[in-house]
């Protein structure tokens, strides 16, 4: 049940590679589920999520949308899909989110800028080269900014991936067979340990999403580690109410068998007669 | 660039052997004050003020301000090593400092705390160097109504910016005004509120109040808590310090942001403690590692320490340029000015250049000296704290009593100090802020004087407070701040209430 994570770069033919992989190995291919589910959880239109990803959202939309919320719900969806296995995931930060899982193959598919512009012009049936160039640049900038903000990495750094394929000369078929060959290699074999790792990450993503969705804990920013159904909460919260709510919400998440609450409270630990210098 | 020339002149003043020696003595005493429970910046400086009576004003202010820097540095030591904040503004340092010590990184945490304290102070001093002369020059145009408006702004900003109940702040301030009114009326020479007791003719000296409220009150609070220092040991070797210094430039954004928060909260009477909490909260919110805060992040030590030191330093700006103290320690320094025979206010920059620029230069050098001293002497101070509190507390009470006695060499002052100590304890138990009381006590008669002068000028017409754009806008701002608690409550009624960013239980003054 291989899980393959691809990058999403406008005009890079990653979509064709994903579809081909699906055909060759009988894998599911992710389509728009993530955007729909995230939009559903946030009670916004699906198109808003797409606009935010493509860098096309208006200034007001960008300010009024909680990006952290988008990121947290996205991560939950990606892990949920990866847990199911037998799937090709494309974009949504899947390559970075699933990078710690040993059996997930993380692939970047790229192509020279001019060819991507050509692809877009063909796709949009336009002859306005400058507009197409601007469109590709805007999409790249939006992706690069989001990767930096969310994961603190430089988008496109080859060290982030197991395999980088340039489709300038490599055909879609060859790319797909290369990826499948790598997925069958012993280092990507699925083991109990690798599954446990994925389960742990998925559980912590679910806990994080649940905390984000709960009214009391939506503003907290805490460390969540999960392994074998055991959730450990670390970090700082504002008050006891938040601490207890965080533990309660985490305990109610499906798959969390026990919660260890190591949260500390941001409180004044001593009484002072003065607080001014 | 007149300021730079004047500043170098100031360095020349400070760099005499006597002043350098006093600077080092001041820093060491200050760190001791900072680590000991019951002694803080304000009462520490107040107790040691009599030591300086025989010195020249410049040497005296250098020593006292260095005690203050030392106290600011010292608070971090107990926070990181013992998880017990030595000073209220180092409470936020315990959040990440103590976990770092638990992870065996005590040296790194201390080095980061001291260095970022230094950075915060340095940024604030640069601000003071260039801003204070400008503010003073501007303030030279002030007449009595303007000064009263600025006093009013100071009082009202306590109400508007203070945390906790505005009524408690007002009550505390009103008690301060009442105490300030005791004694002889400076305009008519009548006796007020003395009830025929000759000793009350002198009025209540705020130094006694500061020593009692902050010193004895805090000892009482600490006794109740049963303070016990047990924690990590510190080893600070040069290698750890250098490694930490290499890492710190990574947090430059956090440093700058925290320094800005600190300077703002210091110049307006927000204070160092809210500044440290606020910048810690902002750093947690804006950092990519926000989720890891509280588990031992260097950034979580950098943010509060930078802000606290920046606030502590910039609190001296209104004291220097306008003669209006924004914090109790600044008030004590201001009291010192009067004792040394200097008239605080904007004229200082014209008439006492040596004094003012010596002080500003000593802010630079004192902080460098402070950084070096704390980095080298941490184990010593940590060792002092292992002495049981039952031995430390009586010693501190005796020191406070001696300090109170020497102000006027009057035994009554010692009893008053004890009385103020009880008031301080009760106030804190009931969550009343003390700083408004102290500042009302200090500024009460000054504000009254300038108000009555203004009334004499205008023949009793209150409209003088709006007579020109300057005084009108200051008065308007003051009234806005006074009504701010009501306005914000009304606003919250209209809009959805905002999430509380910080803990409700944070100190109220």
């Amino acid at each position: 049940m291989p899980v393959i994570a691809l990058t999403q770069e406008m005009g890079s033919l990653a979509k064709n590679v994903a579809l081909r992989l699906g055909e060759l190995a009988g894998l599911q291919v992710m389509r728009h589920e993530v955007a729909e589910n995230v939009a559903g959880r946030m009670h916004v239109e699906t198109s808003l999520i797409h606009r935010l990803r493509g860098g096309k959202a208006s200034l007001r939309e960008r300010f009024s949308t909680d990006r952290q919320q988008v990121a947290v719900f996205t991560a939950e969806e990606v892990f949920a899909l990866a847990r199911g296995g037998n799937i090709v995931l494309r974009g949504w930060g899947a390559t970075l989110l699933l990078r710690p899982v040993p059996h997930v193959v993380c692939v970047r598919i790229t192509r020279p800028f001019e060819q991507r512009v050509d692809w877009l012009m063909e796709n949009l049936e336009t002859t306005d080269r400058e507009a197409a160039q601007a469109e590709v640049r805007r999409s790249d900038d939006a992706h690069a900014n989001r990767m930096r903000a969310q994961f603190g990495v430089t988008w496109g750094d080859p060290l982030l991936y197991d395999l980088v394929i340039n489709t300038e000369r490599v055909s879609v078929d060859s790319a797909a067979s290369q990826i499948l060959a790598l997925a069958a290699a012993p280092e990507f074999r699925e083991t109990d340990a690798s599954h446990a790792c994925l389960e742990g990450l998925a559980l912590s993503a679910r806990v994080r999403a649940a905390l984000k969705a709960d009214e009391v804990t939506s503003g907290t920013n805490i460390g969540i580690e999960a392994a074998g159904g055991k959730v450990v909460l670390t970090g700082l919260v504002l008050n006891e109410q938040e601490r207890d709510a965080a533990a309660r919400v985490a305990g109610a998440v499906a798959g969390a068998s026990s919660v260890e609450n190591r949260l500390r409270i941001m409180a004044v630990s001593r009484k002072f007669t003065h607080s001014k210098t | 660039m007149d300021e730079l020339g004047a500043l170098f002149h100031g360095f020349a003043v400070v760099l005499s052997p006597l002043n350098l020696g006093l600077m080092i003595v001041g820093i060491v005493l200050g760190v001791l004050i900072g680590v000991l429970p019951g002694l803080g910046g304000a009462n520490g400086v107040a107790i040691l003020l009599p030591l300086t009576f025989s010195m020249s004003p410049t040497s005296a202010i250098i020593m006292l301000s260095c005690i203050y820097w030392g106290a600011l540095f010292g608070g971090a030591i107990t926070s990181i090593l013992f998880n017990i904040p030595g000073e209220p503004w180092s409470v936020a340092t315990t959040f990440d400092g103590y976990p770092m010590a638990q992870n065996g990184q005590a040296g790194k945490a201390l080095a980061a705390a001291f260095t970022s304290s230094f950075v915060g102070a340095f940024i604030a001093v640069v601000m003071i160097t260039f801003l204070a002369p400008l503010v003073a020059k501007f303030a030279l145009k002030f007449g009595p109504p303007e000064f009263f408006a600025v006093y009013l702004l100071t009082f009202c900003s306590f109400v508007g910016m203070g945390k906790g109940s505005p009524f408690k702040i007002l009550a505390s301030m009103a008690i301060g005004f009442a105490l300030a009114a005791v004694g002889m009326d400076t305009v008519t020479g009548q006796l007020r509120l003395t009830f025929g007791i000759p000793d009350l003719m002198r009025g209540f000296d705020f130094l006694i109040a500061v020593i009692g409220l902050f010193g004895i009150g805090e000892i009482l609070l600490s006794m109740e808590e049963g303070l016990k220092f047990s924690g990590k040991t510190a080893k600070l070797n040069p290698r750890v310090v250098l490694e930490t210094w290499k890492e710190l430039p990574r947090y430059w954004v956090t440093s700058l942001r925290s320094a800005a928060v600190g300077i703002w909260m210091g110049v307006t009477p927000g204070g160092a403690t809210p500044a440290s909490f606020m910048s810690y909260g902002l750093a947690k919110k804006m950092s990519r590692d926000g989720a890891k805060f509280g588990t031992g992040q260097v950034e979580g030590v950098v943010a509060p320490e930078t802000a606290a030191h920046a606030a502590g330093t910039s609190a001296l700006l209104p004291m220097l340029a306008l003669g209006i103290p924004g914090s109790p320690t600044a008030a004590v320094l201001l009291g010192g000015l009067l004792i040394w025979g200097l008239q605080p206010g904007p004229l200082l920059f014209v008439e006492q250049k040596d004094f003012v620029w010596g002080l500003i230069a000593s802010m630079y050098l004192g902080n460098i000296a402070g950084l070096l001293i704390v980095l080298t002497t941490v184990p010593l101070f940590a060792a002092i704290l292992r002495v049981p509190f039952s031995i430390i507390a009586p010693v501190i009470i005796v020191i406070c009593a001696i300090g109170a006695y020497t102000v006027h060499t009057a035994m009554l002052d010692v009893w008053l100090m004890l009385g103020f100590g009880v008031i301080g304890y009760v106030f804190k138990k009931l969550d009343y802020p003390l700083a408004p009381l102290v500042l009302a006590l200090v500024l009460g008669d000054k504000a009254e004087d300038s108000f009555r002068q203004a009334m004499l000028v205008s023949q009793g017409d209150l409209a003088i407070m709006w007579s020109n754009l300057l005084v009108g806008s200051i008065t308007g701002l003051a009234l806005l701040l006074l009504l701010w608690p009501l306005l914000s409550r009304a606003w919250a009624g209209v809009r959805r209430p905002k999430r509380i960013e910080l803990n409700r239980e944070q100190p109220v003054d």
Side-chain angles (χ1 to χ4, degrees):
Chain A
M1 293 213 302
V3 178
I4 295 165
L6 304 183
T7 53
Q8 192 171 40
E9 201 175 303
M10 184 181 267
S12 66
L13 302 184
K15 190 176 180 182
N16 307 44
V17 175
L19 292 172
R20 186 79 190 124
L21 279 170
E23 281 168 32
L24 285 176
L27 301 176
Q28 254 185 301
V29 178
M30 174 175 92
R31 290 179 195 281
H32 295 300
E33 305 90 308
V34 174
E36 281 158 17
N37 291 344
V38 170
R41 290 204 63 168
M42 292 179 62
H43 310 290
V44 294
E45 293 165 37
T46 315
S47 64
L48 173 67
I49 304 295
H50 284 299
R51 279 204 301 282
L52 280 171
R53 279 170 54 76
K56 287 186 211 166
S58 69
L59 213 54
R60 199 184 65 81
E61 283 174 332
R62 272 182 233 185
F63 275 107
S64 60
T65 318
D66 185 351
R67 311 255 189 112
Q68 263 186 332
Q69 207 177 12
V70 179
V72 165
F73 289 146
T74 305
E76 187 192 18
E77 292 297 327
V78 168
F79 282 119
L81 290 171
R83 268 183 81 213
N86 233 3
I87 191 165
V88 182
L89 298 160
R90 186 164 53 83
W92 299 98
T95 46
L96 286 160
L97 288 169
L98 296 170
R99 181 84 177 127
V101 183
H103 69 256
V104 176
V105 188
C106 298
V107 185
R108 172 168 187 227
I109 297 189
T110 186
R111 207 181 182 196
F113 181 74
E114 285 308 321
Q115 291 194 19
R116 291 164 58 202
V117 174
D118 290 337
W119 176 88
L120 186 70
M121 286 167 68
E122 198 177 308
N123 215 26
L124 294 177
E125 293 171 357
T126 169
T127 52
D128 187 349
R129 191 163 188 86
E130 272 179 24
Q133 279 174 342
E135 181 76 24
V136 174
R137 276 206 195 95
R138 183 173 61 190
S139 163
D140 283 3
D141 286 347
H143 281 83
N145 285 336
R146 200 172 54 249
M147 289 301 130
R148 201 178 310 120
Q150 203 172 324
F151 302 103
V153 298
T154 311
W155 190 52
D157 182 350
L159 288 176
L160 299 172
Y161 312 98
D162 301 311
L163 183 65
V164 178
I165 296 176
N166 178 357
T167 51
E168 182 183 13
R169 292 203 297 187
V170 180
S171 72
V172 170
D173 280 350
S174 317
S177 58
Q178 282 298 322
I179 294 167
L180 285 177
L182 195 60
E187 56 267 35
F188 291 99
R189 189 176 300 136
E190 293 175 50
T191 59
D192 288 343
S194 74
H195 274 289
C197 173
L198 177 58
E199 286 297 328
L201 287 172
L203 178 55
S204 63
R206 281 203 301 281
V207 172
R208 199 174 284 286
L211 288 175
K212 198 85 201 160
D214 189 274
E215 202 179 324
V216 182
T217 56
S218 64
T220 57
N221 187 8
I222 55 175
I224 301 162
E225 283 166 48
K230 195 164 166 274
V231 181
V232 181
L233 306 176
T234 54
L236 269 183
V237 289
L238 291 182
N239 46 38
E240 280 171 32
Q241 193 199 356
E242 276 195 3
R243 184 180 62 184
D244 300 342
R248 179 175 48 76
V249 171
V253 171
S257 55
S258 71
V259 177
E260 191 187 329
N261 195 346
R262 284 194 214 153
L263 291 174
R264 298 169 65 218
I265 295 173
M266 206 164 152
V268 180
S269 44
R270 252 182 89 190
K271 264 193 188 271
F272 288 95
T273 49
H274 61 302
S275 72
K276 297 178 82 75
T277 43
Chain B
M1 289 287 110
D2 288 347
E3 288 87 1
L4 282 185
L7 181 63
F8 281 109
H9 176 66
F11 278 122
V13 172
V14 176
L15 283 171
S16 74
L18 171 73
N19 288 346
L20 272 182
L22 287 176
M23 186 182 270
I24 289 168
V25 171
I27 296 277
V28 174
L29 284 175
V31 179
L32 193 61
I33 284 168
V35 295
L36 287 177
L39 289 178
N43 57 15
V45 176
I47 289 164
L48 295 171
L49 189 61
L51 280 184
T52 67
F53 285 171
S54 57
M55 297 179 192
S56 78
T58 315
S59 302
I61 192 79
I62 288 172
M63 181 167 155
L64 286 188
S65 61
C66 282
I67 292 172
Y68 182 37
W69 311 140
L72 284 172
F73 274 114
I77 299 175
T78 49
S79 290
I80 290 169
L81 295 180
F82 304 105
N83 203 17
I84 296 172
E87 300 292 335
W89 48 86
S90 50
V91 169
T93 312
T94 59
F95 298 153
D96 274 291
Y98 187 63
M100 278 183 81
Q102 282 178 314
N103 300 340
Q105 293 180 305
K108 192 176 169 186
L110 285 167
F114 295 147
T115 313
S116 34
S117 298
F118 170 74
V119 170
F122 189 80
I123 296 175
V125 178
V126 171
M127 188 272 307
I128 287 184
T129 308
F130 293 99
L131 212 58
L134 285 181
V135 176
K137 204 177 276 177
F138 181 61
L140 279 175
K141 296 186 193 117
F142 282 16
E146 280 85 1
F147 268 110
F148 177 70
V150 175
Y151 287 124
L152 186 67
L153 180 65
T154 312
F155 295 133
C156 293
S157 59
F158 269 98
V159 181
M161 299 185 61
K163 296 279 180 294
S165 162
F167 298 108
K168 285 183 171 175
I169 297 173
L170 282 173
S172 165
M173 206 180 278
I175 294 174
F177 285 132
L179 289 174
V182 175
M184 198 182 288
D185 177 5
T186 46
V187 179
T188 60
Q190 275 177 326
L191 290 180
R192 295 190 298 197
L193 294 173
T194 54
F195 306 106
I197 304 168
D199 280 317
L200 284 182
M201 265 171 66
R202 215 171 40 225
F204 286 99
D205 194 305
F206 82 98
L207 289 174
I208 312 294
V210 164
I211 296 173
L213 290 172
F214 294 154
I216 306 295
E218 195 143 310
I219 287 283
L220 291 174
L221 283 174
S222 308
M223 270 199 264
E224 190 184 45
E225 277 170 17
L227 214 51
K228 208 172 162 202
F229 289 95
S230 59
K232 308 290 163 194
T233 46
K235 276 202 207 83
L236 254 184
N237 55 41
R239 205 169 52 84
V240 173
V241 175
L242 283 178
E243 271 171 19
T244 315
W245 281 355
K246 262 185 227 158
E247 198 181 320
L248 287 181
R250 212 185 297 164
Y251 308 117
W252 65 275
V253 183
T254 307
S255 294
L256 279 184
R257 189 197 316 116
S258 308
V261 169
I263 287 174
W264 172 249
M265 300 290 274
V267 173
T268 61
T273 309
S276 66
F277 270 92
M278 190 190 266
S279 70
Y280 184 86
L282 279 176
K284 179 167 158 58
K285 201 172 199 115
M286 294 190 172
S287 166
R288 190 172 294 118
D289 298 324
K292 286 193 215 139
F293 270 48
T295 57
Q297 291 286 305
V298 179
E299 207 176 348
V301 175
V302 170
E305 283 293 316
T306 314
H309 234 91
T313 309
S314 57
L316 296 186
L317 172 85
M319 193 275 280
L320 261 183
L322 300 172
I324 293 170
S327 69
T329 313
V332 176
L333 292 177
L334 190 97
L337 289 186
L338 292 170
I339 290 169
W340 306 319
L342 301 178
Q343 183 58 44
L347 272 176
L348 270 185
F349 274 84
V350 183
E351 290 173 350
Q352 302 287 343
K353 281 201 155 74
D354 270 12
F355 173 83
V356 170
W357 288 104
L359 169 59
I360 294 179
S362 81
M363 291 181 179
Y364 285 95
L365 292 178
N367 274 300
I368 295 174
L371 179 63
L372 294 177
I373 289 172
V374 284
L375 282 177
T376 46
T377 54
V378 163
L380 184 73
F381 289 110
I384 288 171
L385 282 172
R386 292 179 201 279
V387 177
F389 185 63
S390 50
I391 293 174
I392 291 180
V395 172
I396 290 174
I397 292 181
V398 170
I399 294 173
C400 286
I402 295 172
Y405 181 75
T406 41
V407 177
H408 295 295
T409 52
M411 198 55 203
L412 177 71
D413 285 346
V414 177
W415 302 121
L416 280 178
M417 174 200 80
L418 289 176
F420 275 118
V422 174
I423 295 176
Y425 174 77
V426 172
F427 263 47
K428 215 59 210 177
K429 288 305 265 187
L430 300 176
D431 243 347
Y432 278 82
L434 285 170
L437 190 160
V438 171
L439 286 177
L441 181 54
V442 178
L443 294 178
D445 36 350
K446 289 170 184 297
E448 190 191 342
D449 285 350
S450 48
F451 180 69
R452 285 167 72 171
Q453 282 169 12
M455 286 303 106
L456 286 174
V457 171
S458 72
Q459 296 177 335
D461 188 0
L462 264 182
I464 195 169
M465 303 316 296
W466 286 272
S467 57
N468 62 46
L469 187 67
L470 177 63
V471 69
S473 51
I474 302 176
T475 313
L477 188 60
L479 292 180
L480 181 75
L481 277 172
L482 182 64
L483 297 175
W484 184 251
L486 290 176
L487 292 176
S488 63
R489 211 157 290 177
W491 180 246
V494 177
R495 277 182 67 117
R496 190 164 62 86
K498 226 177 80 182
R499 224 175 83 85
I500 305 157
E501 288 296 339
L502 289 176
N503 196 305
R504 215 184 293 270
E505 281 174 67
Q506 68 173 293
V508 280
D509 53 349

